[in-house]
């Protein structure tokens, strides 16, 4: 029995793909468990609990054996690969779950937030970086300021929509936020 446990805790002879799959499966099981536990026992929001678990596992990765090895392997994944995997899934999920009737009714508001709103916002952010914070061209040129402004101006609706659902806000608000994100 101890030999079996020892082999499970050591990652010798385990392929990197198996380590990655192990980490993903354990992460999904832990996330589902924490979500169900939150519904019944604890009243702490889901996102901070997952953050605390992630920080704990990140700090203990050297002492977790195979799980720690799989975590360190996936920490070195290419960021572009993450974008190629998750962005299409998130966009599809958001479009699939969006209420089409409300989206059509509020299209002009969504359009104003998505196009002129974001353009004005990223211009204001870039102008703030250059004129108010006084970054010169050696520290931050205009291309970099516009790039930073365009990144900071767009919204990430996942946390906002989840909070709106928890608070019981009307579907209209979450549809506007998700629609603006879809058009970005």
């Amino acid at each position: 029995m101890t030999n079996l446990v020892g082999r499970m805790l050591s990652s010798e002879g385990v392929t990197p793909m198996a380590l990655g799959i192990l980490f993903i499966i354990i992460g999904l099981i832990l996330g589902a468990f924490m979500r169900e536990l939150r519904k019944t026992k604890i009243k702490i929001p889901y996102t901070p609990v997952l953050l605390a678990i992630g920080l704990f596992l990140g700090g203990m990765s050297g002492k977790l054996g195979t799980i720690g090895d799989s975590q360190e392997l996936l920490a070195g994944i290419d960021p572009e690969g993450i974008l190629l995997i998750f962005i299409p899934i998130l966009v599809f999920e958001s479009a699939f779950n969006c209420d089409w009737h409300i989206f059509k009714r509020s299209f002009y508001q969504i359009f104003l937030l998505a196009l002129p709103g974001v353009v004005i916002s990223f211009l204001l952010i870039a102008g703030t970086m250059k004129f108010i914070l006084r970054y010169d061209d050696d520290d931050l040129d205009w291309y970099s300021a516009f790039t930073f402004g365009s990144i900071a101006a767009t919204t990430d609706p996942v946390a906002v929509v989840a909070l709106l659902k928890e608070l019981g806000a009307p579907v209209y608000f979450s549809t506007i936020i998700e629609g603006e994100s879809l058009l970005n």
Side-chain angles (χ1 to χ4, degrees):
M1 181 72 171
T2 57
N3 190 17
L4 177 64
V5 173
R7 282 191 305 163
M8 288 174 63
L9 291 177
S10 75
S11 60
E12 296 176 12
V14 179
T15 64
M17 181 177 282
L19 286 175
I21 292 171
L22 174 71
F23 184 75
I24 290 171
I25 290 172
I26 289 174
L28 289 173
I29 290 171
L30 189 61
F33 174 73
M34 290 309 300
R35 189 171 182 99
E36 289 301 315
L37 182 67
R38 188 188 145 268
K39 287 181 182 177
T40 58
K41 303 278 185 206
I42 58 176
K43 299 296 181 196
I44 302 172
Y46 180 62
T47 309
V49 170
L50 286 182
L51 175 68
I53 290 172
L55 289 173
F56 174 75
L57 290 176
M60 299 295 292
S61 66
K63 299 179 176 122
L64 294 177
T66 304
I67 297 170
D69 292 343
S70 64
Q71 179 182 348
E72 289 175 8
L73 176 75
L74 286 180
I77 199 167
D78 184 26
E80 291 176 6
I82 292 175
L83 286 176
L84 288 174
I85 292 170
F86 289 114
I87 293 295
I89 294 170
L90 290 173
V91 169
F92 174 77
E93 187 273 333
S94 182
F96 189 74
N97 290 327
C98 189
D99 188 351
W100 180 246
H101 177 69
I102 295 175
F103 185 86
K104 281 194 314 187
R105 254 189 27 218
S106 57
F107 179 75
Y108 295 112
Q109 293 169 343
I110 293 170
F111 180 77
L112 285 174
L113 285 173
L115 197 65
V118 170
V119 170
I120 291 169
S121 180
F122 96 78
L123 289 174
L124 286 173
I125 291 170
T128 301
M129 297 292 288
K130 292 298 280 182
F131 297 123
I132 295 175
L133 297 177
R134 301 202 184 270
Y135 282 105
D136 58 358
D137 285 337
D138 294 335
D139 296 327
L140 185 75
D141 60 350
W142 277 104
Y143 296 115
S144 300
F146 285 138
T147 302
F148 178 75
S150 65
I151 291 170
T154 57
T155 59
D156 180 22
V158 176
V160 176
V161 170
L163 184 64
L164 286 174
K165 286 180 183 175
E166 274 187 38
L167 295 175
V171 179
Y172 180 75
F173 291 140
S174 60
T175 303
I176 288 177
I177 292 171
E178 283 183 342
E180 187 262 338
S181 177
L182 281 173
L183 292 183
N184 278 337

